[in-house]
Amino acid sequence: LRGQQLQEGLTHPEVLEVRVAGLLIGLTLTQPVAAQCVDIAQEAGFIINACAPDRIRIAPPLILTAAEAESFVSAWPQILEQALAARSETP
């Protein structure tokens, strides 16, 4: 259920694809801002991984609670928007 909760909550116009296998989640972004997303997420207290310039891997622990999943889902749009804004400011 947590994987489905995350999958549904991670959709965004700047996310091309959300792949889910249990709690292992891969996001394909429209722009190469994965590294910026990692930095911003870490500042917000979340650990995600940039496995390519436009791909993010999320691998939460199997004991992830619904509240923890919701916390990340709520923060995700702001994380992505901040990363996109940072990229557009870079020459």
Side-chain angles (χ1 to χ4, degrees), residues 45-83:
F46 302 104
I47 298 172
I48 61 176
N49 175 258
C51 50
D54 64 343
R55 290 201 184 104
I56 293 175
R57 177 177 31 229
I58 303 169
L62 296 177
I63 58 171
L64 181 74
T65 66
E68 291 166 335
E70 183 57 38
S71 176
F72 182 73
V73 165
S74 295
W76 171 243
Q78 185 176 359
I79 291 167
L80 184 53
E81 293 297 331
Q82 286 181 12

Side-chain angles (χ1 to χ4, degrees), residues 15-33:
V15 175
L16 293 175
E17 180 179 29
V18 179
R19 293 183 185 184
V20 177
L23 282 180
L24 184 61
I25 300 168
L27 303 175
T28 303
L29 308 175
T30 61
Q31 297 185 46
V33 294

Side-chain angles (χ1 to χ4, degrees), residues 31 33 36 81-91:
Q31 297 185 46
V33 294
Q36 292 92 335
E81 293 297 331
Q82 286 181 12
L84 292 166
R87 184 178 194 281
S88 67
E89 293 172 3
T90 305

